[in-house]
Amino acid sequence: MVHGEEYAIIGSTTGAHVIRLDDCSERAFLQQAPASAVHRDFKTYRGYLYCVSGEGFDARLRTYDLSGLPDTVQEVWSSNPDSVSRALCMFVDTARARLYLGTVTGNTTGTHSIAVYSLARPEAPSFLCYVDDFTFTHGIYVRNDTAWCSNGWGGYAILDMSRLPGVAAI
């Protein structure tokens, strides 16, 4: 909901489409690398849109300001590809103002199960820590400092996120 209007964010192989729901009109198209990705994820928090892709080497975590809708959507922040070049999924814990990225890869930092960011400044997420208790986080949900993670062939994990950066399995 932006300025009393509802919008949908729909991913395609080339980026994100911002659609106003009352008339189904595309209000913005956010082209993102790579141009042929099939794994994209989008979340919103306090008027900002966060985008990731699980493919490519320059997909990055990107933040967009939605306050200009219905006319414009402006990119306001992008991760350094050395720290986040791609991520498979993400979740925003609105109660704790944290962003969780699953299966995150940086060009120089390697691949990590989860990367946790603070959204104290929602326009520019700040890195808190990595969680590497398992591999390939395909889905994550966080509530009351408990993270439920689907880890592909590794099964499921439940993590206590209250003690960041020293995260422990429950």
Side-chain angles (χ1 to χ4, degrees):
M1 184 84 68
V2 179
H3 305 301
E5 295 185 4
E6 289 185 299
Y7 293 87
I9 311 301
I10 301 172
S12 70
T13 56
T14 56
H17 304 265
V18 180
I19 309 292
R20 189 168 65 185
L21 294 182
D22 69 342
D23 63 2
C24 295
S25 64
E26 182 172 272
R27 305 310 295 181
F29 173 69
L30 312 172
Q31 188 169 356
Q32 297 170 327
S36 61
V38 294
H39 295 102
R40 297 193 189 277
D41 202 1
F42 312 100
K43 299 292 183 254
T44 58
Y45 178 70
R46 293 193 176 179
Y48 293 93
L49 169 67
Y50 306 97
C51 303
V52 295
S53 173
E55 295 144 337
F57 292 97
D58 194 23
R60 303 183 191 203
L61 167 61
R62 298 181 189 276
T63 304
Y64 295 89
D65 183 354
L66 299 175
S67 67
L69 285 171
D71 300 318
T72 63
V73 175
Q74 185 71 37
E75 182 178 324
V76 294
W77 184 86
S78 175
S79 65
N80 182 323
D82 288 341
S83 61
V84 180
S85 63
R86 65 183 178 267
L88 188 59
C89 63
M90 68 178 145
F91 183 83
V92 173
D93 178 358
T94 59
R96 301 285 190 262
R98 289 185 187 148
L99 175 67
Y100 295 86
L101 301 180
T103 308
V104 60
T105 301
N107 291 342
T108 60
T109 59
T111 300
H112 299 274
S113 302
I114 299 171
V116 184
Y117 285 79
S118 169
L119 294 178
R121 291 184 51 232
E123 69 279 5
S126 60
F127 177 77
L128 293 175
C129 69
Y130 292 118
V131 178
D132 287 313
D133 294 345
F134 40 81
T135 59
F136 303 114
T137 300
H138 288 258
I140 184 169
Y141 176 84
V142 182
R143 183 171 160 193
N144 295 328
D145 287 324
T146 301
W148 289 267
C149 306
S150 172
N151 301 306
W153 296 278
Y156 296 96
I158 301 172
L159 303 173
D160 178 358
M161 304 303 259
S162 66
R163 295 176 283 195
L164 293 175
V167 177
I170 292 177

